């Protein structure tokens, strides 16, 4: 999508990890970008990157889109300071759904709220260049999808939001629009509670194999890394069937490692509980 005229964008938290990643992509466009940051160390990173810092109050007042690239636990306080200053019809864009789902963002009826989270380059992505192979996080060379939510019935404003989303997370294959709750189920439940936890379990299992059993680390890593690829291809894409012996070992793993009631993590009450823990909001917990 290409807008008829440049947009005015304010990036709050421009010197953080995601703020710097987003800034790199925004800086290459013809849009007017104001970079705001309150941490002295992060301010130095912004300046060292060749970008000029803006006073936050000034930066957001005339912005078409205000991106809040700040930690989840700070979004309530930051939005209370920023949102009252915005012009009507502005778009507030956050990077994670937790705060939006928990209702901690400062609300105005004449402001639009969006949240967009990168999927990161797929494990099944067909890469062809060294730059794409090196970009495991996304936003540099390897294309990725984005899942986003938009809380207003305003197609033109959503189109503007998508324009900025495609730039800040680019190169983007597609933007998938869902509800805020659906995005919260995807992140944290599906990808953090499950997928990232499984990744950490693999790390622990590798360490146990090497440090306790005594298998040479290169051999253990080679065996694990190759079989992770096969396991994901077989289970998520149906590439090849597992052997009967493997199925027996998989069943033993389920019985030994996985709790029988694990699917309760998809209950609304459990989603509320984990997000309350993430945001340190005890009042949201049930």
């Amino acid at each position: 999508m290409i807008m008829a005229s440049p947009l005015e964008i304010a990036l709050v938290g421009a010197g953080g990890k995601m703020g710097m990643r987003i800034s790199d992509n925004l800086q290459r466009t013809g849009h007017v970008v104001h970079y705001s940051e309150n941490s002295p160390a992060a301010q130095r990173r912004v300046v060292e990157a060749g970008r000029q810092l803006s006073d936050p109050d000034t930066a957001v007042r005339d912005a078409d889109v205000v991106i809040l690239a700040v930690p989840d636990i700070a979004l309530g306080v930051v939005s209370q300071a920023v949102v009252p200053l915005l012009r009507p019809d502005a778009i507030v864009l956050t990077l994670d759904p937790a705060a939006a789902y928990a209702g901690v963002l400062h609300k105005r009826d004449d402001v639009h709220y969006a949240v967009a989270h990168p999927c990161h380059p797929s494990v099944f992505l067909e890469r062809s260049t060294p730059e794409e192979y090196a970009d495991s996080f996304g936003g540099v060379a390897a294309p990725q999808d984005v899942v986003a939510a938009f809380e207003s019935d305003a197609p033109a404003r959503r189109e503007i939001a998508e324009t900025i989303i495609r730039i800040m997370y680019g190169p983007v294959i597609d933007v998938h629009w869902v509800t805020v709750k659906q995005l919260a189920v995807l992140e944290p439940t599906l990808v953090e509670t499950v997928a990232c936890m499984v990744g950490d379990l693999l790390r622990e299992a590798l360490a146990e194999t090497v440090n306790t059993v005594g298998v040479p680390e290169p051999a253990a890593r080679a065996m694990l890394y190759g079989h992770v690829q096969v396991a994901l291809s077989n289970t998520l894409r149906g590439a090849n069937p597992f052997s009967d012996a493997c199925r027996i070992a998989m069943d033993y793993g389920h019985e030994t490692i996985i709790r029988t009631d694990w699917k309760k993590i998809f209950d609304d009450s459990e989603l509320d509980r984990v997000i309350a823990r993430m945001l340190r909001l005890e009042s949201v917990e049930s």
Side-chain angles (χ1 to χ4, degrees):
M1 299 179 187
I2 300 176
M3 296 289 102
S5 59
L7 296 168
E8 191 157 337
I9 304 164
L11 177 56
V12 179
K17 291 180 181 178
M18 283 305 299
M20 292 294 288
R21 289 176 179 272
I22 291 169
S23 295
D24 289 341
N25 286 342
L26 290 175
Q27 190 175 22
R28 291 193 286 266
T29 72
H31 299 298
V32 178
V33 185
H34 302 282
Y35 304 97
S36 174
E37 178 59 64
N38 66 351
S39 163
Q43 287 177 345
R44 286 193 293 273
R45 287 193 290 269
V46 174
V47 173
E48 289 169 359
R51 294 185 273 268
Q52 184 176 350
L53 286 163
S54 297
D55 172 74
D57 291 359
T58 305
V60 304
R61 287 185 186 276
D62 295 319
D64 298 292
V65 181
V66 177
I67 304 169
L68 301 183
V70 300
D72 282 351
I73 59 173
L75 277 170
V77 173
V78 172
S79 66
Q80 287 176 15
V82 168
V83 172
L85 303 176
L86 303 185
R87 64 172 183 77
D89 227 23
I91 299 168
V92 176
L93 176 58
T94 59
L95 312 185
D96 292 284
Y101 174 77
V104 302
L105 295 177
H106 185 84
K107 290 290 187 177
R108 269 178 54 186
D109 292 339
D110 59 348
V111 167
H112 307 280
Y113 294 84
V115 53
H117 195 79
C119 295
H120 308 298
S122 169
V123 67
F124 301 120
L125 177 68
E126 295 183 5
R127 294 171 167 86
S128 58
T129 68
E131 292 78 14
E132 288 176 347
Y133 278 103
D135 185 18
S136 60
F137 190 88
V140 179
Q144 63 181 330
D145 286 315
V146 177
V147 180
F150 192 78
E151 299 186 52
S152 303
D153 183 16
R157 305 311 288 176
R158 194 181 89 164
E159 184 175 351
I160 289 175
E162 181 166 340
T163 296
I164 301 307
I165 289 166
R166 285 182 174 274
I167 292 170
M168 59 194 259
Y169 291 137
V172 170
I173 300 169
D174 200 2
V175 177
H176 305 275
W177 292 99
V178 298
T179 66
V180 169
K181 180 182 177 181
Q182 288 169 341
L183 185 49
V185 171
L186 294 174
E187 163 106 14
T189 303
L190 179 63
V191 298
E192 291 179 333
T193 302
V194 178
C196 293
M197 179 277 296
V198 169
D200 200 45
L201 177 63
L202 292 174
R203 178 192 58 78
E204 291 186 34
L206 176 61
E208 193 72 10
T209 302
V210 172
N211 298 329
T212 301
V213 182
V215 175
E217 185 170 352
R221 286 187 178 275
M223 184 68 81
L224 178 63
Y225 290 0
H227 279 76
V228 165
Q229 186 273 136
V230 167
L232 294 177
S233 296
N234 289 0
T235 55
L236 298 182
R237 305 187 89 180
N240 294 287
F242 291 111
S243 69
D244 291 342
C246 179
R247 283 287 181 187
I248 292 172
M250 290 167 63
D251 290 342
Y252 170 74
H254 268 279
E255 295 165 4
T256 309
I257 301 171
I258 306 298
R259 290 177 48 157
T260 57
D261 65 343
W262 75 269
K263 291 181 182 179
K264 72 178 184 179
I265 63 173
F266 291 98
D267 294 345
D268 287 353
S269 60
E270 293 299 316
L271 178 60
D272 291 346
R273 189 186 312 279
V274 69
I275 286 182
R277 185 180 298 181
M278 293 168 67
L279 298 178
R280 302 174 189 173
L281 299 173
E282 295 183 359
S283 60
V284 180
E285 292 199 62
S286 58

